Amino acid sequence: MAATKLQANWTAVSFGSTPISRVSQVSFTQGGSLAAYSADGDHFPTVVVNLMNKPRAAVTSADTAALMAVAPGTTASFSATHKDAKGETGGDILYVLANAVAENAETSGAHGQFGSATLSLLAFSTDGTTNPLSFTRA
């Protein structure tokens, strides 16, 4: 069957060689930012350009110890697979955030509820032009 073009659930989530299980949320952002220019008598921008991108990712897991063990400043590749909703071939999206730097990990848990932790990551480009965020279909 053809891929559904719908995603549900995450698998194969890892930071470097450390697998992350019990994942309930993953997010990726391209981190685009626009700069606007105006001068003289302009009342509106006359140029709008994308001068900087700061790709980011975050993962939330019930395995709080795994995420809290990642020290801020740790650099590794972060990868995650967003599964096709019906598990069809060619429908998964495999994300890789190269040069991901651990920014922060935080955890919380309410009385009578499962706890969770969230690890936030910010990536850099090795050469200043190659996007550290990539994805492919599988």
Side-chain angles (χ1 to χ4, degrees), residues 7 10 15 29 43 60 64 72 78 82 84 90 95-96 99-100 103 107 119 122-123:
Q7 270 49 58
W10 294 91
F15 182 64
T29 180
H43 288 273
T60 300
T64 60
F78 176 69
H82 209 177
D84 181 83
Y95 292 93
V96 175
N99 303 317
E103 181 177 34
T107 187
L119 175 66
L122 178 62

Side-chain angles (χ1 to χ4, degrees), residues 58-74:
V59 57
T60 300
S61 168
D63 185 357
T64 60
L67 297 188
M68 294 304 291
V70 178
T74 303

Side-chain angles (χ1 to χ4, degrees), residues 46-65:
T46 55
V47 176
V48 176
V49 295
N50 171 245
L51 294 177
M52 181 61 61
N53 296 302
K54 296 179 181 176
R56 304 180 65 85
V59 57
T60 300
S61 168
D63 185 357
T64 60

Side-chain angles (χ1 to χ4, degrees), residues 8-33:
N9 300 323
W10 294 91
T11 62
V13 179
S14 65
F15 182 64
S17 61
T18 304
I20 302 171
S21 62
R22 300 196 177 275
V23 173
S24 58
Q25 174 74 28
V26 176
S27 64
F28 289 93
T29 180
Q30 295 179 20
S33 177

